[in-house]
Amino acid sequence: QVQLVESGGGSVQAGGSLKLTCTASGGAFSSCGLGWYRQAPGKERELVSSISPHGTTTYADFVKGRFTISRDIAKNTLYLQMSSLKPEDTAMYYCALGRNGGRWKPPLVEREYNYWGQGTQVTVSS
């Protein structure tokens, strides 16, 4: 059974950095697309960043230049390096995996993802 476990969340002051990690288990994921979503209280879940099996990345406009997504295929691990954090980045961050995407196209919408983690909380204070 596929499991995704996020870690690395926490509380940080504005301008600070955090690195989120998502570890996948229960299968081989080198051919899968991966993504990070977030959901703030009272708001819909939104895509932060995603990466294709061959490393193509995409970022939401609100994180471009501040966040970096990466993956270690050998370790079945996905990362999100977050820098210059803002209070509006406060949210629960979720890792997601999609099995059926293309090699070069990162998954962009929720229906492309088959599995989700439980989330890790990020809180940014001003």
Side-chain angles (χ1 to χ4, degrees):
Q1 182 169 344
V2 175
Q3 283 193 319
L4 302 174
V5 179
E6 302 96 335
S7 61
S11 297
V12 65
Q13 289 192 327
S17 299
L18 284 173
K19 186 173 185 177
L20 304 185
T21 299
C22 172
T23 302
S25 61
F29 307 110
S30 60
S31 62
C32 298
L34 295 163
W36 288 100
Y37 275 76
R38 73 184 187 187
Q39 187 169 23
K43 295 188 176 182
E44 292 187 354
R45 190 161 58 184
E46 58 186 358
L47 177 67
V48 175
S49 181
S50 61
I51 186 167
S52 75
H54 280 216
T56 306
T57 59
T58 187
Y59 296 91
D61 287 344
F62 52 77
V63 302
K64 281 183 180 177
R66 300 189 298 124
F67 291 10
T68 302
I69 191 171
S70 61
R71 64 190 294 174
D72 186 328
I73 292 175
K75 295 182 179 179
N76 278 350
T77 302
L78 176 71
Y79 303 100
L80 185 68
Q81 177 67 53
M82 306 186 296
S83 302
S84 301
L85 283 161
K86 305 175 182 180
E88 51 264 43
D89 294 319
T90 295
M92 185 71 79
Y93 283 71
Y94 298 92
C95 167
L97 181 149
R99 287 195 173 278
N100 302 314
R103 295 179 181 179
W104 295 100
K105 176 187 173 296
L108 299 177
V109 295
E110 290 200 21
R111 65 175 180 270
E112 296 184 87
Y113 294 95
N114 307 104
Y115 303 98
W116 295 81
Q118 293 299 307
T120 185
Q121 178 67 39
V122 172
T123 302
V124 184
S125 58
S126 58

